Amino acid sequence: MIYNDPMIWMPTFIFGALVGSFLNCAIHRLEVDEGFVKGRSYCPKCKTTISAIDLIPILSFILLKGRCRECGERISWQYPIVEAATGSIFALTVAFHGTGGSFGALETAYFLAIFSLMVLMFVYDLKHYLIPDEAVFAAIGATVAWHGSLFVFGISSLSEIVPFLVSGLAASGFFLAIFALSKGTWMGFGDVKLALFMGLFLGHPGILVALFSAFMSGAIIGSAMVLFKKKEMRSEIPFAPFLIFGT
């Protein structure tokens, strides 16, 4: 069932865009090794504290014409793209999943939290070829807690949860073998941890679909970048975005 009521998905898009704005802040704070819970947002160039009127997701970027109000430094397109993408993901999640019932609402909230962490990992790895431990461990912890709560409240039996655990261990074991055999040149250890989350989150056969999609899309994009001379054959390409796309 698709919930196409604008009264549901429009506020959800706005909320998601606000979360996307926070994710942008978290990505920057992780880059410079600062805490992202405390402190006001500031311009990375001139360090001026950004006023609330300039923090409106998407709209502020348009009104400011993509530049800082104080120093005129260009604002990265990452900011409106992440805000719009997160808002769209939130709206689509609610539109297709709904929020019916108390536990349905909790399940939707769980999905939104997981998708937010995946957006953070996608962008961070794309920029820095690194998956932040804070995000991947939070995703693993949230997924384990979710399965645990399903078991405690009698919604899922142990036999239903075990396949998710097996999928997580098998996927991470497969990536760990690649990491060990290549001594980290083919696969980073962050991908091993991300694969553990993917298996726990998707279970079987979802994990197989995700991995197939990731490797296929990675091969296609990688080949295209070599063909158009954007990368060389031995160039490093971040793999987490493809894994998250597959998920």
Side-chain angles (χ1 to χ4, degrees):
M1 179 179 181
I2 300 177
Y3 297 78
N4 57 3
D5 185 353
M7 294 299 291
I8 295 176
W9 56 258
M10 275 302 293
T12 310
F13 174 86
I14 294 171
F15 175 64
L18 289 168
V19 172
S21 181
F22 172 77
L23 293 176
N24 278 320
C25 175
I27 290 166
H28 172 70
R29 298 293 179 91
L30 286 169
E31 289 171 355
V32 297
D33 196 25
E34 291 182 355
F36 49 83
V37 177
K38 296 181 180 179
R40 297 275 301 277
S41 296
Y42 60 87
C43 171
K45 178 68 175 181
C46 65
K47 309 301 181 183
T48 301
T49 299
I50 301 174
S51 61
I53 194 66
D54 292 336
L55 288 173
I56 302 172
I58 306 170
L59 183 60
S60 289
F61 181 87
I62 296 172
L63 295 177
L64 291 170
K65 298 179 180 179
R67 293 186 179 273
C68 172
R69 184 185 296 275
E70 297 297 325
C71 67
E73 179 74 6
R74 285 192 177 277
I75 302 171
S76 171
W77 276 92
Q78 168 197 316
Y79 290 87
I81 290 173
V82 168
E83 290 162 356
T86 309
S88 299
I89 290 169
F90 274 42
L92 287 168
T93 301
V94 170
F96 281 91
H97 187 265
T99 58
S102 57
F103 209 80
L106 288 175
E107 186 174 42
T108 300
Y110 162 65
F111 284 144
L112 296 182
I114 290 295
F115 294 156
S116 298
L117 291 167
M118 287 199 291
V119 169
L120 192 157
M121 289 186 282
F122 184 106
V123 176
Y124 200 90
D125 192 57
L126 193 63
K127 293 181 67 178
H128 303 290
Y129 294 37
L130 181 70
I131 305 172
D133 283 341
E134 294 89 342
V136 70
F137 286 146
I140 292 171
T143 306
V144 170
W146 176 253
H147 288 304
S149 64
L150 293 178
F151 176 72
V152 169
F153 288 102
I155 297 173
S156 294
S157 64
L158 188 60
S159 61
E160 292 174 309
I161 294 174
V162 166
F164 289 90
L165 178 60
V166 172
S167 296
L169 294 175
S172 61
F174 171 65
F175 276 44
L176 181 60
I178 297 175
F179 174 80
L181 288 171
S182 67
K183 298 181 179 179
T185 58
W186 299 345
M187 192 77 63
F189 195 70
D191 296 319
V192 177
K193 291 176 279 189
L194 180 56
L196 173 61
F197 154 70
M198 290 170 60
L200 292 171
F201 180 64
L202 297 170
H204 180 275
I207 185 62
L208 300 179
V209 176
L211 292 179
F212 177 80
S213 300
F215 280 103
M216 284 298 296
S217 59
I220 292 170
I221 297 298
S223 299
M225 294 181 75
V226 171
L227 181 64
F228 290 102
K229 301 186 185 301
K230 298 295 183 181
K231 292 282 187 180
E232 297 180 357
M233 285 296 294
R234 294 182 177 274
S235 296
E236 184 180 1
I237 296 177
F239 196 47
F242 299 106
L243 290 172
I244 291 168
F245 166 75
T247 304

